[in-house]
Amino acid sequence: MSISSVLPSQTSGASLQAKSLIQEAGERPTLSRQVVLEILLNTPRALTHTEIASAAAEAGNALDRVTLYRVLDWLIDKELAHKIASEDRVWRFNALSRDAQNSSSTHEHAHFQCKYCGQLYCLDELRPAFAFTLPPGFQCEHAELTLRGRCPDCQD
Amino acid sequence: MSISSVLPSQTSGASLQAKSLIQEAGERPTLSRQVVLEILLNTPRALTHTEIASAAAEAGNALDRVTLYRVLDWLIDKELAHKIASEDRVWRFNALSRDAQNSSSTHEHAHFQCKYCGQLYCLDELRPAFAFTLPPGFQCEHAELTLRGRCPDCQD
DNA sequence: AGGTGAACTGCTACACTGTTGCATATGTCT
DNA sequence: AGACATATGCAACAGTGTAGCAGTTCACCT
């Protein structure tokens, strides 16, 4: 999947969606925030900081590197997005669906990362459920499940 | 847990264990390799590169940063150790037990990371087991389960 | 409208983790 | 001991993310 395929168009409904999501949260819908959220809403997979910066630049709304970091942190703080760590030491960001926002288990979903292209997908339908016993003294508050393998784009 | 508490002593049995493990693998038991493997064998949790470097320096065997990276990669290649990614973008390293080395599922164990001190533990006894269905086109080759919460050292 | 204050943005500089290239040192084998 | 492969150390670099600060923009309130 190329970067341009996830580009938002300034006249699309997604732009309005991004703006209204921010306004509904009672926050300032600045251009930077709209652009970034729009990009995240328009792609099914999680994007790296670099990918988001490229997409914004190609859309004619180049953002400063630092500003993008701050916008992303802000989106996470407002629970409009979340970030996922992976083995390549790069954060990937994805918009949170409205459903997920209303759910009490907002961040409780599994992830899939392709071993071959590195793309990372949220598996919203897949809620980890398992039984285990921890060694004494350990208290579990949260479980993260990441599946690794081959994504649809990397079939032989 | 302080760094010094995981320091190996040059006269301990662990040093001999590290050396013999390397020799059994048919490889050169250089001082750097012995020191690093010894440190990993002597601690129950996974250590960062920085922690290992400090431990080696305190033991009187200061290593070059790059050499340490290469020794760690070498240990992983020889399946004497493994590394684990975590949200702080830092690799943590742990020795693989002899049992694990003989097992076909060497790396198939869960991890626990403390939200409060960042320490990371391997849960060798805890093998992830769950049933799930992936979206079409996704092929799972490997699953990683990381539990997050409070470790024994961080109780109120 | 215009003023005010909070916030957002962009620039520069920096810290940290990890890698590459190359010269030197070390270990192993004969 | 000598030769050769390999391991080590140094320097320089790349990528990701953060901190400080000045300048700009925005929302709100007369």
Side-chain angles (χ1 to χ4, degrees), chain A residues 38-49:
Chain A
E38 199 183 323
I39 290 167
L40 295 181
L41 286 169
N42 275 343
T43 175
R45 58 188 176 86
L47 296 175
T48 64
H49 176 274

Side-chain angles (χ1 to χ4, degrees), chain B:
Chain B
M1 186 185 288
S2 72
I3 291 294
S4 57
S5 69
V6 300
L7 278 182
S9 70
Q10 284 295 341
T11 55
S12 74
S15 177
L16 297 175
Q17 188 190 353
K19 185 170 185 175
S20 62
L21 277 172
I22 295 168
Q23 286 174 326
E24 282 171 27
E27 303 290 338
R28 285 193 193 175
T30 67
L31 182 58
S32 303
R33 290 170 180 177
Q34 289 181 55
V35 168
V36 174
L37 182 53
E38 200 181 322
I39 290 168
L40 295 181
L41 287 169
N42 276 343
T43 176
R45 59 189 175 85
L47 297 174
T48 64
H49 177 274
T50 308
E51 288 173 321
I52 298 167
S54 299
E58 288 184 34
N61 290 300
L63 292 175
D64 180 71
R65 235 161 50 84
V66 178
T67 300
L68 178 50
Y69 277 113
R70 289 196 271 232
V71 168
L72 289 167
D73 283 344
W74 182 89
L75 287 170
I76 290 163
D77 188 56
K78 302 304 174 189
E79 298 193 327
L80 293 168
H82 75 145
K83 66 178 177 180
I84 310 122
S86 74
E87 296 204 339
D88 55 9
R89 311 191 321 120
V90 175
W91 289 108
R92 283 177 170 76
F93 302 85
N94 203 0
L96 283 174
S97 67
R98 298 291 285 278
D99 293 343
Q101 288 171 46
N102 296 332
S103 160
S104 61
S105 55
T106 303
H107 298 165
E108 292 284 347
H109 59 263
H111 295 115
F112 182 97
Q113 186 166 32
C114 179
K115 283 184 180 179
Y116 307 94
C117 67
Q119 299 298 3
L120 199 151
Y121 301 83
C122 293
L123 303 173
D124 291 319
E125 332 69 52
L126 184 55
R127 298 278 161 83
F130 20 61
F132 49 80
T133 54
L134 281 169
F138 289 87
Q139 295 173 3
C140 178
E141 300 174 5
H142 183 66
E144 285 172 18
L145 177 62
T146 302
L147 308 179
R148 298 189 181 279
R150 197 178 288 275
C151 79
D153 292 342
C154 291
Q155 301 303 320
D156 305 314

Side-chain angles (χ1 to χ4, degrees), chain A residues 19-28 74 78 80 101:
Chain A
K19 187 170 185 176
S20 60
L21 276 172
I22 294 169
Q23 286 173 328
E24 283 170 27
E27 303 289 338
R28 283 194 195 172
W74 182 89
K78 302 303 173 189
L80 293 168
Q101 289 172 45

Side-chain angles (χ1 to χ4, degrees), chain A residues 28 30 32-33 64 66-67 70 74 89:
Chain A
R28 283 194 195 172
T30 67
S32 302
R33 290 170 180 176
D64 180 71
V66 179
T67 299
R70 288 196 273 232
W74 182 89
R89 311 192 320 119

Side-chain angles (χ1 to χ4, degrees), chain A residues 29-87:
Chain A
T30 67
L31 181 57
S32 302
R33 290 170 180 176
Q34 290 180 54
V35 168
V36 174
L37 182 53
E38 199 183 323
I39 290 167
L40 295 181
L41 286 169
N42 275 343
T43 175
R45 58 188 176 86
L47 296 175
T48 64
H49 176 274
T50 308
E51 288 173 321
I52 298 168
S54 299
E58 287 185 37
N61 290 299
L63 292 176
D64 180 71
R65 234 162 52 83
V66 179
T67 299
L68 177 50
Y69 278 115
R70 288 196 273 232
V71 167
L72 289 166
D73 283 345
W74 182 89
L75 287 170
I76 290 162
D77 188 56
K78 302 303 173 189
E79 298 194 326
L80 293 168
H82 74 147
K83 64 178 178 180
I84 311 122
S86 74
E87 295 203 341

